[in-house]
Amino acid sequence: MQPERTRLAWRRTTLSCTVAAVLAARQAVHGGDAETAGVLGAGLSLLVWVAFLVVAQRRIAALGRRARPDPLAARAALAAALCTVALAGFGVAVVW
Amino acid sequence: MADLGRSLRLWFSPQRVREEGETPDYRFSLANERTFLAWLRTGLALVGGGFAVDQFLPDLRWGVRVGMALVLLAAGALCALRAVNHWVRCERAMRLGEDLPVSRFPAVLGLAVGVVAAAMVLVVLFGWTG
């Protein structure tokens, strides 16, 4: 039951990340002056989203592997948080 | 301050978390992980809010719009970093059998979000929409 709840929490967080990344990509395409910068920005937010997806997917796989899963690796936690920070930093760069 | 230094070291050398104390019941670790994810979602929502303010409120005056967006984006980033820090500290406390760390952050974040909301109401009421 506990691993399942944790799996669902990862899924929910992935969904939140998707929304934020879509908004970031939209911002890059509509907000930027130059077209190349817009494409570059959209590509970067896609990259951040994929990175988060990989972290989440690996953790979900690890949760399903054993009846008593290992605790989350600090590296994965840091990577997931840095994805959020990257989106925020990217937002600051575009909005400014 | 010494606490912060120790937490920062733990961020970047994760195996050290596992060296101290005993591994707690896996259910506690998973609960800690879910709390971390909930904070991460809060951070992502704030970042998304920052983007939304900039994209969907084009009638706002430039300064107001950019100011709001920057505050929300900064709060989101802070929330994510704090989520990792709190997760590491909780994990460590559980391994050592200590009390869980207490934090002012939720109160501060709540006040900040309240202030932004109040500012938004004022902007709409007084028509500072440029």
Side-chain angles (χ1 to χ4, degrees):
Chain A
M1 206 152 55
Q2 297 282 337
E4 186 178 354
R5 285 175 63 190
T6 312
R7 241 180 359 249
L8 287 172
W10 273 104
R11 292 263 184 245
R12 279 200 301 277
T13 313
T14 309
L15 213 58
S16 302
C17 188
T18 308
V19 173
V22 164
L23 282 172
R26 192 177 177 277
Q27 177 102 23
V29 173
H30 288 273
D33 300 325
E35 225 163 78
T36 39
V39 172
L40 190 72
L44 278 179
S45 41
L46 184 73
L47 212 64
V48 170
W49 180 72
V50 168
F52 190 91
L53 207 64
V54 168
V55 172
Q57 205 55 42
R58 286 176 61 160
R59 180 58 183 155
I60 287 170
L63 282 171
R65 214 169 291 140
R66 267 188 278 161
R68 285 166 187 272
D70 283 334
L72 174 67
R75 219 178 292 273
L78 194 59
L82 285 183
C83 285
T84 311
V85 175
L87 282 178
F90 171 69
V92 170
V94 176
V95 170
W96 199 242
Chain B
M1 224 42 218
D3 244 20
L4 185 68
R6 201 172 49 205
S7 299
L8 272 179
R9 274 202 301 283
L10 285 177
W11 286 24
F12 292 104
S13 54
Q15 61 280 9
R16 262 197 233 180
V17 182
R18 303 239 170 116
E19 280 168 11
E20 292 176 302
E22 296 169 22
T23 308
D25 188 325
Y26 77 100
R27 284 171 291 188
F28 297 149
S29 287
L30 291 183
N32 190 21
E33 182 176 341
R34 287 197 297 277
T35 309
F36 163 69
L37 288 173
W39 274 110
L40 212 56
R41 281 198 296 279
T42 309
L44 282 167
L46 286 167
V47 170
F51 283 123
V53 164
D54 197 48
Q55 289 179 37
F56 300 119
L57 300 172
D59 295 338
L60 280 186
R61 211 181 275 179
W62 183 83
V64 176
R65 183 163 52 89
V66 168
M68 291 266 185
L70 287 182
V71 166
L72 285 171
L73 288 169
L78 201 66
C79 218
L81 290 177
R82 188 265 177 188
V84 187
N85 187 41
H86 195 69
W87 172 80
V88 165
R89 287 176 65 199
C90 285
E91 202 69 17
R92 191 167 171 279
M94 287 194 296
R95 294 192 76 92
L96 297 178
E98 291 170 358
D99 287 344
L100 290 182
V102 289
S103 168
R104 278 188 214 98
F105 186 81
V108 173
L109 181 70
L111 281 177
V113 170
V115 167
V116 168
M120 212 65 219
V121 169
L122 286 179
V123 164
V124 172
L125 271 185
F126 294 102
W128 292 330
T129 47

